[in-house]
């Protein structure tokens, strides 16, 4: 079912816990390596070109960005990992910022991993996915840049992603394209279902 976006805004830009918005909505956070396309994904999900700032330069998102959608859910853009050019001090600061959010945000409904469908998930992707599943989340994966592959290649790539990550549910791996908007509606459906589940708990 198509989700109608009535309102969307960048509600907060945070580094520390005291800067987070009130924990009053289900939140869906997106993690992945630097430049995997998290900001482009959020823009496509809400039908806006520049709500989330994108860049061809890895490591652009260094803060935790909270996007309030329809006053019903938040999409949360986490800093990307694996940005080798960043200093050790910067990487440690990003890691602490992400870890604090993941450990203390009680209204986090799902942590969703983004990977590039064209490449086998990295060691850091595998580590992140294992943490997601071990923390009790469903293990939803967005495989970006799907328009770069043929339908047959996509099926093979999803199989590689599932095997490499050790994902139990293939149906939770969504091939996705910011260009064609493929699977945007299906991903929204999954988010709405998860939000409803957590709201009723």
């Amino acid at each position: 079912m198509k989700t109608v976006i009535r309102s969307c805004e960048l509600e907060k830009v945070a580094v520390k816990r005291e800067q987070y918005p009130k924990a009053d909505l289900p939140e869906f956070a997106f993690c992945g390596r630097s430049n995997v396309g998290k900001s482009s994904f959020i823009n496509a999900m809400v039908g806006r070109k520049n709500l989330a700032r994108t860049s061809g330069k890895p490591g652009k998102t260094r803060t935790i960005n909270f996007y309030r959608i329809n006053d019903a859910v938040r999409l949360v853009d986490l800093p990307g990992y694996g940005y080798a050019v960043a200093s050790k001090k910067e990487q440690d600061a990003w890691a602490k910022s992400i870890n604090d959010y993941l450990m203390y945000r009680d209204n986090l409904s799902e942590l969703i991993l983004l990977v590039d469908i064209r490449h086998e998930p990295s060691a850091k992707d595998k580590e992140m996915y294992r943490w997601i599943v071990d923390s009790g989340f469903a293990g939803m994966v967005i495989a970006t840049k799907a328009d770069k592959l043929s339908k047959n290649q996509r099926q093979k790539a999803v199989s590689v992603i599932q095997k490499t990550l050790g994902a139990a549910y293939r149906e939770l791996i969504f091939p996705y394209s910011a260009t064609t908007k493929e699977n945007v509606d299906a991903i929204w459906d999954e988010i709405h279902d998860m939000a409803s589940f957590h709201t009723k708990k």
Side-chain angles (χ1 to χ4, degrees):
M1 187 174 74
K2 187 170 181 60
T3 293
V4 177
I5 306 299
R6 299 183 304 278
S7 64
C8 57
E9 63 172 324
L10 174 58
E11 185 176 10
K12 285 279 186 177
V13 175
V15 176
K16 302 174 183 177
R17 273 186 278 162
E18 53 266 31
Q19 297 170 326
Y20 300 166
K22 186 179 177 182
D24 57 348
L25 295 176
E27 289 180 358
F28 295 83
F30 301 95
C31 61
R33 66 169 180 77
S34 295
N35 219 30
V36 74
K38 295 187 301 299
S39 298
S40 296
F41 170 76
I42 288 172
N43 285 334
M45 288 290 284
V46 299
R48 295 268 293 273
K49 287 186 177 179
N50 297 306
L51 181 67
R53 283 168 290 182
T54 61
S55 172
K57 183 179 179 182
K60 183 70 173 175
T61 303
R62 301 188 181 198
T63 53
I64 298 175
N65 298 338
F66 294 82
Y67 299 93
R68 189 181 185 97
I69 314 299
N70 288 349
D71 291 326
V73 298
R74 282 193 193 92
L75 305 184
V76 183
D77 191 2
L78 298 175
Y81 51 75
Y83 180 42
V85 180
S87 69
K88 179 70 164 60
K89 186 177 179 181
E90 281 181 315
Q91 290 184 36
D92 288 346
W94 298 351
K96 184 181 186 314
S97 179
I98 294 168
N99 288 339
D100 281 355
Y101 173 77
L102 297 178
M103 293 297 293
Y104 298 107
R105 196 62 167 166
D106 291 337
N107 59 321
L108 176 58
S109 296
E110 185 67 22
L111 178 59
I112 299 168
L113 178 65
L114 273 72
V115 298
D116 188 326
I117 198 170
R118 301 169 298 176
H119 307 294
E120 184 177 332
S122 68
K124 284 188 178 291
D125 291 329
K126 289 190 281 184
E127 183 182 338
M128 192 74 233
Y129 185 79
R130 183 48 47 203
W131 190 93
I132 289 170
V133 173
D134 288 349
S135 298
F137 297 110
M140 188 171 166
V141 178
I142 309 297
T144 67
K145 302 178 172 66
D147 58 291
K148 306 292 185 184
L149 301 181
S150 69
K151 194 168 183 178
N152 189 44
Q153 288 173 320
R154 260 182 263 178
Q155 292 300 317
K156 291 178 181 177
V158 169
S159 295
V160 169
I161 291 168
Q162 182 180 15
K163 183 177 179 182
T164 304
L165 295 179
Y169 303 105
R170 186 184 176 99
E171 60 269 25
L172 285 179
I173 301 174
F174 293 86
Y176 158 81
S177 166
T179 303
T180 66
K181 309 298 187 289
E182 179 181 349
N183 272 334
V184 164
D185 291 336
I187 295 166
W188 267 124
D189 285 345
E190 195 69 37
I191 286 174
H192 289 316
D193 286 347
M194 289 180 178
S196 296
F197 173 77
H198 285 280
T199 302
K200 290 172 185 173
K201 282 194 341 184

